[in-house]
Amino acid sequence: EWVLLLLLHHIAADGWSMGPLFRDLSTAYTARAEGHASPLGQLPAQYADFAVWQQQWFGAEEDPDSALARQVAYWRTALDGAPEELNLPLDRMRPAAPSNRGAWEEFALDAELHGALLQFARDANATPFMVVHAAVVALLSQLTGSSDIPIGTPVAGRPDESLDELVGFFVNQLPLRVKWDGDPTFRELVQLTRTTALAAYDHQDLPFERLVEIVNPHRSASHHPLFQVVLNFDGTERPPLTLPHLTAHIDEDLTDAGTAKVDLSFHLRERQAEDGTPAGIDGALEYAVDLFDPETVRRIGVRLSCLLRAAVGAPERRITDLDLLDAPELESVVRLWNDTGQEVDSRPLPALFEEQVRRTPQAIAVRGAVDTTYAQLNERANRLARHLRALGGGREDVVAVALPRSVDALAALLGVMKAGAVYLPVDPGLPAARITQLVQDTDAVAVLTLSGSAPLLEKALAARGHDGSPDGAEAVPSIVVIDDPRTEETIAARPGSDLTDDERGGRLTSSQLAYVIFTSGSTGTPKGVMVEHSGLAALAAAQIDRFQVDAASRVLQFASLSFDASVSEIAMALLSGASLVLRPDGMLPGPGLTELIARHEVTHATLPPAVLGVLDPAEHGTLRTLIAAGEALSEKTAGIWSDRRLINAYGPTETTVCATMSRPLTGTGQPGIGRPIWNTRVYVLDGGLRPVGVGMVGELYVSGAGLARGYVGRAAVTASRFVADPFSAEGARMYRTGDQVRWRADGQLEFVGRIDDQVKIRG
């Protein structure tokens, strides 16, 4: 038994060259074995001839009639606006300088699927490559959420028959961009890939490196230009080695070279049985180990097999209808990873706070210019609640609180809720007209403010009238100036004990509204979100547990009171016996905040990543738990604070501040946004509200205890964003966030980006 190793650098030979090379080898060996000289003669052309011919044939780019000018014009049009980088399901952030290390994961398509693929290709007047190309495009669309998919593919690059028997490297790379609108069937997608491929083949002569220079995309050392995914489909039949007195077998298996030229390469090679019938397709995925884990790539290979089987079996189905989830995965993404049920005390926030006051009346509740105990804060809130009741404020009446961050503002928050009313935080620094608009939009019955702001508010409200008309003066809400001496005296004279249900006009229930907070308007017109007490109870219980908040903790109150993050800070502190440390209004991140944290020995803080990025961990030794929220957390920032208990949190206002939380981060890998918190469910769905699998991009929907009631006075918008939960037997609702996410293999969510309200995401 003998082994002959043919070792060729790719600069000397390409895949097509194997045919003439094996034929020449057979001819030369046979002749010499019989004692003759090799009969092989000179070829009509050499590689250098081809290079000279190519240069002459192209002509000058300045000549509009030249072949080069025509090809340049085609590619500029074909690639105009193409995505510079596909949003692949990477397991790690791209390094600035890739190592180019690669690995392979193999998969296979059986003979039955191979035969069905060939039959469908004949019926569709397409090649097997075009069918596989369409399947890869459909899969990448599901993985990335995009309907504009550029991939690269090698072409033989032998435009003349005289080159067929020449051994050399002629291969060129073509960027095949497939872009569509709507939701095509698989058959329609195959026709689109066919059209794309044929047009590209007609313009395949322009060398790829020259194409990159001409198109001039944004260049980065971190990723390949024009495409990051390659499809190499080998359907050529290898000629046999015919050697006298020998039985020869060519061992040309797909081989892991340990390198990766692009992020991901699909390699497929057809096999035929001895009778010429399809025997299956060998597949391998070459991937950059800088970016992917083996399990992620293995799953991509399995998904391609599933998609192809479903597609060729029912090519009239829409590509978003091609189901790629098996029963175990469907169970994970819908049920298992949403198993968040916990028994929590769901009483309204005032009742939970009063319970804490009874446990620790003399503990410090608020630390600021003057420390305030739980008992003192409770008494102030009770007196204000009785004052509001006397003014006519009652069950689910909205009371606007236009106060700066202070103990008075906290007492007002609690007092409004204790009265059975609804708290509307308003930044007193807003223009009077804007405050008036908020008050009118919510039908507020009263506005709590300070003497410095009262005259402007009174004038603005009286001018417009509460109903928006000049003669609506009788509807103008009460302006309660809490620092007016007469008001202070009146409030101080009221009892400080907890209100009874009779005083409140009925029992306060967890289904009642707790507060209304307006969204920022970053995704449209600001909307007033109505949040119930039940959501607050579940949120506080989950955060106290996850963040390990106890009576010895000191929680920084950092967020503006007009943002919902402030509700989270206040609830987790005041319902656990901890101290809430107030950040003075106007204090920016920097030395002042650092000094405040050190002076009050703050242990817990919820901060935007931008703030974490400017603080020095060495100067904040008391901080033991940090919650990053409000914007995307980078791997770099997470790494800086990884010596603490750092948790990444995510949640729209419509889901009561927080919907998901990560595990404590280690500082390695891109931080995810975690799993749903207690009594919350999340779904990653496509445009047809179907669950998508691990690694696939979909839109995030949130259901559960924290779901808001809806938007104040915006019934149509409420109906479009709060929709029926198809996975609940109890008729629950879920909130459509408009955010793109994907599941990771460990059941954690990864934030991808934001989609327009009018765009339905594809699988």
Side-chain angles (χ1 to χ4, degrees):
E1 184 173 291
W2 293 268
V3 173
L4 171 65
L5 171 64
L6 291 180
L7 182 63
L8 298 100
H9 194 287
H10 220 328
I11 200 171
D14 54 21
W16 182 288
S17 298
M18 296 303 100
L21 179 61
F22 291 156
R23 285 192 291 271
D24 287 356
L25 180 60
S26 297
T27 300
Y29 183 90
T30 300
R32 287 185 169 84
E34 295 174 351
H36 306 302
S38 171
L40 296 174
Q42 290 295 318
L43 291 173
Q46 297 295 322
Y47 193 87
D49 300 323
F50 163 73
V52 172
W53 169 85
Q54 186 183 56
Q55 190 72 23
Q56 294 173 343
W57 179 82
F58 270 144
E61 187 176 349
E62 297 77 20
D63 179 3
D65 296 325
S66 69
L68 178 59
R70 291 194 299 271
Q71 298 217 5
V72 167
Y74 167 78
W75 286 112
R76 280 182 170 153
T77 301
L79 299 177
D80 182 41
E84 293 179 353
E85 180 182 348
L86 278 180
N87 185 25
L88 296 169
L90 308 182
D91 294 304
R92 285 169 290 283
M93 293 288 288
R94 291 184 182 279
S99 70
N100 296 319
R101 291 183 299 116
W104 283 40
E105 285 290 329
E106 296 185 1
F107 64 96
L109 309 180
D110 60 33
E112 180 184 4
L113 177 55
H114 186 191
L117 188 156
L118 295 178
Q119 182 60 53
F120 171 67
R122 286 190 290 270
D123 294 343
N125 193 27
T127 65
F129 165 78
M130 294 169 181
V131 176
V132 173
H133 181 200
V136 171
V137 164
L139 176 62
L140 292 177
S141 176
Q142 295 194 17
L143 292 175
T144 64
S146 173
S147 58
D148 189 350
I149 307 294
I151 68 171
T153 191
V155 289
R158 296 171 188 253
D160 190 271
E161 290 182 0
S162 64
L163 303 175
D164 287 354
E165 294 301 309
L166 187 59
V167 175
F169 187 79
F170 294 83
V171 170
N172 193 20
Q173 289 284 348
L174 293 185
L176 302 182
R177 179 193 183 191
V178 180
K179 183 177 185 293
W180 67 93
D181 295 316
D183 189 9
T185 65
F186 185 73
R187 186 184 297 276
E188 291 169 340
L189 187 61
V190 168
Q191 294 307 310
L192 185 55
T193 61
R194 180 180 184 275
T195 301
T196 300
L198 292 177
Y201 295 157
D202 283 341
H203 301 85
Q204 65 175 285
D205 305 294
L206 188 64
F208 180 74
E209 61 272 16
R210 182 74 178 111
L211 174 60
V212 172
E213 292 175 357
I214 291 170
V215 175
N216 194 27
H218 172 73
R219 300 301 297 272
S220 170
S222 66
H223 63 79
H224 193 273
L226 300 183
F227 54 81
Q228 294 83 49
V229 177
V230 165
L231 171 59
N232 185 2
F233 186 86
D234 187 352
T236 59
E237 184 177 354
R238 294 290 183 260
L241 268 177
T242 306
L243 307 178
H245 315 300
L246 295 176
T247 301
H249 168 69
I250 301 173
D251 185 0
E252 196 188 2
D253 292 336
L254 294 169
T255 305
D256 181 358
T259 60
K261 303 177 185 68
V262 295
D263 296 354
L264 198 61
S265 295
F266 292 82
H267 296 271
L268 295 102
R269 177 180 294 162
E270 290 187 283
R271 288 186 285 107
Q272 283 80 34
E274 291 184 1
D275 60 359
T277 58
I281 298 178
D282 294 327
L285 278 164
E286 179 185 78
Y287 63 95
V289 298
D290 291 341
L291 306 178
F292 293 101
D293 291 331
E295 178 59 25
T296 300
V297 178
R298 186 199 65 79
R299 188 177 291 108
I300 291 173
V302 171
R303 294 215 187 289
L304 179 62
S305 302
C306 293
L307 189 148
L308 260 172
R309 191 176 301 278
V312 299
E316 308 307 328
R317 292 176 65 184
R318 303 287 174 184
I319 59 174
T320 56
D321 288 335
L322 299 174
D323 191 6
L324 302 184
L325 274 63
D326 57 17
E329 185 171 20
L330 184 63
E331 177 69 14
S332 293
V333 300
V334 174
R335 307 294 178 197
L336 183 61
W337 293 342
N338 277 314
D339 185 12
T340 61
Q342 289 284 341
E343 288 290 335
V344 301
D345 190 338
S346 61
R347 288 180 294 168
L349 187 141
L352 297 175
F353 175 68
E354 289 164 4
E355 182 74 27
Q356 184 60 49
V357 172
R358 287 190 286 272
R359 287 195 293 266
T360 57
Q362 299 310 311
I364 301 300
V366 184
R367 296 179 184 272
V370 177
D371 291 347
T372 304
T373 67
Y374 273 84
Q376 291 169 335
L377 180 61
N378 191 47
E379 289 171 3
R380 292 174 71 167
N382 287 332
R383 292 189 175 99
L384 180 59
R386 288 188 168 91
H387 187 66
L388 290 173
R389 290 291 299 160
L391 294 175
R395 184 182 181 89
E396 293 212 344
D397 287 331
V398 175
V399 176
V401 180
L403 296 172
R405 191 194 325 260
S406 61
V407 175
D408 285 336
L410 295 177
L413 180 152
L414 292 166
V416 169
M417 294 183 185
K418 282 172 173 280
V422 181
Y423 174 78
L424 170 66
V426 175
D427 184 349
L430 290 173
R434 175 61 182 146
I435 296 178
T436 300
Q437 187 66 54
L438 297 177
V439 170
Q440 291 178 343
D441 286 350
T442 56
D443 244 4
V445 300
V447 180
L448 307 184
T449 190
L450 298 177
S451 54
S453 304
L456 284 176
L457 286 176
E458 289 174 347
K459 183 178 180 181
L461 288 168
R464 295 190 62 179
H466 187 43
D467 59 3
S469 59
D471 58 352
E474 70 279 4
V476 174
S478 303
I479 304 252
V480 181
V481 184
I482 64 170
D483 61 344
D484 179 275
R486 289 170 299 179
T487 303
E488 289 180 326
E489 183 178 349
T490 301
I491 293 175
R494 300 191 185 279
S497 58
D498 293 335
L499 276 71
T500 65
D501 289 341
D502 288 341
E503 288 180 287
R504 204 165 11 233
R507 186 170 66 90
L508 186 61
T509 67
S510 59
S511 62
Q512 285 181 235
L513 289 183
Y515 64 82
V516 172
I517 282 185
F518 276 77
T519 61
S520 64
S522 60
T523 59
T525 304
K527 301 177 286 290
V529 181
M530 300 180 288
V531 177
E532 298 177 350
H533 282 280
S534 57
L536 277 177
L539 170 73
Q543 292 190 322
I544 289 169
D545 175 80
R546 179 66 64 87
F547 303 153
Q548 298 180 353
V549 185
D550 55 30
S553 301
R554 298 186 178 189
V555 179
L556 178 65
Q557 204 286 288
F558 177 86
S560 166
L561 295 179
S562 59
F563 288 110
D564 64 342
S566 65
V567 178
S568 162
E569 296 166 334
I570 294 166
M572 82 167 83
L574 299 186
L575 300 187
S576 65
S579 293
L580 189 68
V581 178
L582 297 182
R583 173 177 71 100
D585 280 334
M587 176 181 284
L588 299 176
L593 182 61
T594 296
E595 189 278 330
L596 177 75
I597 291 173
R599 173 159 43 94
H600 291 290
E601 299 181 337
V602 172
T603 60
H604 292 68
T606 300
L607 299 171
V611 174
L612 287 173
V614 300
L615 299 180
D616 184 355
E619 297 178 355
H620 299 81
T622 64
L623 287 174
R624 68 171 188 259
T625 298
L626 287 167
I627 303 96
E631 59 192 37
L633 176 64
S634 70
E635 181 178 359
K636 178 181 178 181
T637 301
I640 292 172
W641 292 92
S642 60
D643 62 332
R644 320 297 166 89
R645 185 179 177 84
L646 174 62
I647 293 171
N648 198 23
Y650 162 89
T653 304
E654 291 86 347
T655 62
T656 312
V657 187
C658 182
T660 68
M661 290 187 289
S662 73
R663 296 184 293 242
L665 301 174
T666 63
T668 59
Q670 178 62 24
I673 59 173
R675 285 191 184 182
I677 65 172
W678 286 358
N679 301 328
T680 299
R681 300 180 300 279
V682 298
Y683 309 110
V684 186
L685 309 178
D686 66 15
L689 298 185
R690 294 175 293 263
V692 302
V694 173
M696 298 181 184
V697 175
E699 185 173 357
L700 179 62
Y701 288 75
V702 181
S703 182
L707 212 62
R709 186 181 293 180
Y711 301 115
V712 174
R714 306 282 296 276
V717 180
T718 297
S720 69
R721 305 299 303 207
F722 294 85
V723 298
D725 180 352
F727 311 103
S728 169
E730 292 79 30
R733 300 176 305 149
M734 60 183 184
Y735 172 67
R736 178 190 173 197
T737 68
D739 288 327
Q740 288 180 312
V741 299
R742 57 179 152 226
W743 288 110
R744 292 178 174 175
D746 60 357
Q748 304 289 306
L749 287 170
E750 174 187 338
F751 183 81
V752 175
R754 179 83 193 163
I755 61 174
D756 184 83
D757 288 352
Q758 303 305 315
V759 175
K760 285 187 177 295
I761 191 169
R762 299 169 178 80

